[in-house]
Amino acid sequence: MILDEFNHFIKSIKLRSDKIPSTSVYPFSLPAVQYLSELKFHPNVTFIVGENGSGKSTILEAIATSYGFNPEGGTRNFNFASFDSHSLLHDYVTVAKGAIRPNDGFFLRAESFYNVASYIEELDRKFGGAKLINQYGGVSLHDQSHGESFMSLFLHKFRANGMYILDEPEAALSPSRQMTMIARLHELVMQGCQFIIATHSPILMAYPNATIYEIKDGYHKVTYKETEHYQITKAFLDYPDRMLRVLMEQNE
């Protein structure tokens, strides 16, 4: 069943602004937090895009943590901490859940996926029985390239009726692998999955019919071609010589 406006796992996030101690301290000073009141999510795919430092990752972390995921990533059953660096924003937001519950889920943080892979190996060393790594394709994620381990996750661990929160999943993927990810994304959407994704990739955010929120002096719901990522990438690819000349002349 494809999820629709009446049936999805995470409907919205709302900031409890009356509880915030100060908007001048982290993480409340981030644009993504200062501009947040309520953000409604598409039942299938929502993209959150914006410049570095805007707070996209912090917002995703708050959503994931409030929903029960480990702040460093993994499934809702993962319980580890390599470095306690996550913010307390999850204590100041309310996540509105849908009436139905997912069968599975995963929070992917590109920057801490190595820690997730290490935790999987630690669990497999400690406990007997079926190996947890078998759910990820059967090959140690540390024995694969960064991009291959991401694809193992998408292809083997992600399954129907799942809630997936992805922070910059393109970080380790080549353009062709990002296209493979779009195909897998669509396959999972058709199987009743919901995705909330923070990304810089103009390839991934081309996924049709998704909701795109661009953080720029507020949250703006935009079309794919209205995003700054698309416009800058298109301008560069259309006129690379001109763009390079302008960029290099700035340092002459």
Side-chain angles (χ1 to χ4, degrees), residues 52-65:
N52 293 332
S54 61
K56 303 182 304 300
S57 295
T58 304
I59 289 293
L60 249 66
E61 177 190 88
I63 297 168
T65 305

Side-chain angles (χ1 to χ4, degrees), residues 206-220:
Y207 184 78
N209 302 317
T211 291
I212 303 176
Y213 289 112
E214 186 171 52
I215 303 171
K216 187 194 298 184
D217 299 324
Y219 283 89
H220 303 279

